[in-house]
Amino acid sequence: MGTVIDSHFLGLTAIVTVVYQLIFFIITALLKFDKVTDFAGGTNFIVLALLTLILKGSWNFRQVVLSVFVVIWGLRLGIFLLMRILQWGEDRRFDDKRDNLGRLTIFWLLQAMWVWTVSLPVTVVNASDHQPSLQTVDIIGWIMWSIGILVEITADQQKLTFKNSPENRGKWCNVGLWKYSRHPNYFGEIFLWWGIFVASTPVLEGAEWLVVLGPVFLMVLLLFVSGIPLLEESADKKYGNVAEYIIYKDTTSPLILLPPGLYGMLPSWYKTIFLFEFPLYSRNLSQ
């Protein structure tokens, strides 16, 4: 079964991802209905994990654990984001894309790349015949995933509760984990996918180590493309003239959870090099 299209299921998963995303793209383009976008992304991960696990059919414990991790993450995130957008009524990311087929196409292509690339560690583990016994690095990866998903779930719920409270209208979220990071949900997501990569390393041989592109691509996407930059720009436009917001931004890490007192004392060069406080996150403030 491991030779279906290619020995690592890379071609198969690419085709399945393109077809899966194309279906939802057509729905979005024709019906102007963009509420299923995040659901399409999260569930696509589940499809790839289960498909490769079942096709290989070896049911190694490592394969099962990592596949279950992806299913849990994908179901939780997909359902959470779907329910949230149904409650909010619209996805503001599509305000400049609904009537622009070119921009809409680019968005969906990027989402397909995100799903396929980030899934690489699990795809290769599920396809591999090299399955050594469990090692310490497996446990470390599982712990990283557990911490990451706990942080992501907690941060998402805290922000949703904050936004749903009428007394917080017009305010930025700075409660719970959001006191220690401006984007703790992204920290959790990045950390859990690095955990999956770490847990995949006992299986990797030769060129298979290129699956590290999965978590790296996720970091590039969230740090420089569609994640933090867009949210920072939006928040700066809303609250950039509020003194308390400037203080919050100066003393709160953009990603890694850190005490505000400590982060505020660190020099700018250290924040940029080691803590991802890039100038593009404040370009609207400087203007």
Side-chain angles (χ1 to χ4, degrees):
M1 297 292 288
T3 57
V4 176
I5 298 186
D6 60 313
S7 61
H8 289 85
F9 295 139
L10 301 183
L12 175 64
T13 53
I15 292 172
V16 170
T17 299
V18 169
V19 172
Y20 194 81
Q21 294 302 314
L22 181 61
I23 293 171
F24 285 97
F25 167 75
I26 292 173
I27 294 173
T28 301
L30 294 182
L31 303 180
K32 309 295 182 184
F33 186 76
D34 49 52
K35 294 180 176 61
V36 294
T37 307
D38 292 311
F39 181 79
T43 54
N44 200 158
F45 281 94
I46 297 172
V47 170
L48 297 189
L50 293 181
L51 177 66
T52 53
L53 178 68
I54 293 170
L55 281 179
K56 186 63 178 178
S58 54
W59 303 97
N60 178 271
F61 186 67
R62 179 184 291 108
Q63 295 171 328
V64 173
V65 169
L66 293 185
S67 297
V68 168
F69 281 175
V70 173
V71 171
I72 292 172
W73 172 83
L75 274 178
R76 201 289 306 182
L77 186 65
I79 294 174
F80 172 80
L81 294 177
L82 177 63
M83 298 305 295
R84 188 182 69 175
I85 199 60
L86 290 175
Q87 177 184 350
W88 288 359
E90 65 177 6
D91 193 333
R92 287 173 296 179
R93 293 175 302 174
F94 290 92
D95 288 346
D96 63 341
K97 300 180 181 69
R98 292 186 185 93
D99 299 315
N100 189 315
L101 188 60
R103 290 182 178 180
L104 195 63
T105 302
I106 292 173
F107 178 90
W108 281 92
L109 285 174
L110 193 61
Q111 174 149 295
M113 289 176 59
W114 165 61
V115 172
W116 184 83
T117 307
V118 176
S119 293
L120 281 174
V122 175
T123 299
V124 170
V125 167
N126 284 350
S128 179
D129 292 318
H130 175 61
Q131 296 291 341
S133 58
L134 292 182
Q135 302 174 14
T136 303
V137 73
D138 287 283
I139 308 301
I140 293 174
W142 299 350
I143 292 173
M144 289 175 64
W145 180 88
S146 301
I147 293 172
I149 197 167
L150 179 62
V151 169
E152 185 176 34
I153 292 173
T154 302
D156 281 342
Q157 192 57 50
Q158 287 175 341
K159 187 171 186 178
L160 184 64
T161 302
F162 182 89
K163 290 292 186 181
N164 286 340
S165 176
E167 64 186 29
N168 293 325
R169 294 282 170 79
K171 298 180 181 179
W172 63 93
C173 184
N174 59 354
V175 300
L177 296 178
W178 301 82
K179 291 189 294 186
Y180 306 101
S181 168
R182 304 203 299 272
H183 305 280
N185 53 335
Y186 287 160
F187 171 75
E189 182 161 342
I190 290 171
F191 200 67
L192 72 87
W193 279 107
W194 274 108
I196 287 179
F197 166 74
V198 169
S200 75
T201 56
V203 171
L204 305 180
E205 297 178 309
E208 292 175 347
W209 281 90
L210 288 174
V211 301
V212 73
L213 292 174
V216 169
F217 182 78
L218 176 64
M219 287 191 69
V220 170
L221 202 61
L222 294 180
L223 292 176
F224 300 107
V225 184
S226 66
I228 294 179
L230 296 182
L231 293 175
E232 291 285 315
E233 180 181 7
S234 175
D236 288 353
K237 288 180 179 179
K238 290 180 183 177
Y239 315 115
N241 59 347
V242 181
E244 289 81 0
Y245 171 75
I246 302 299
I247 294 173
Y248 169 75
K249 189 159 185 171
D250 286 342
T251 58
T252 308
S253 166
L255 186 68
I256 300 173
L257 298 167
L258 288 173
L262 172 61
Y263 187 77
M265 295 170 52
L266 297 173
S268 297
W269 64 265
Y270 187 92
K271 293 179 180 178
T272 300
I273 295 175
F274 298 106
L275 299 174
F276 311 107
E277 188 69 86
F278 301 118
L280 79 162
Y281 298 161
S282 299
R283 59 189 176 186
N284 289 284
L285 287 182
S286 62
Q287 292 174 2

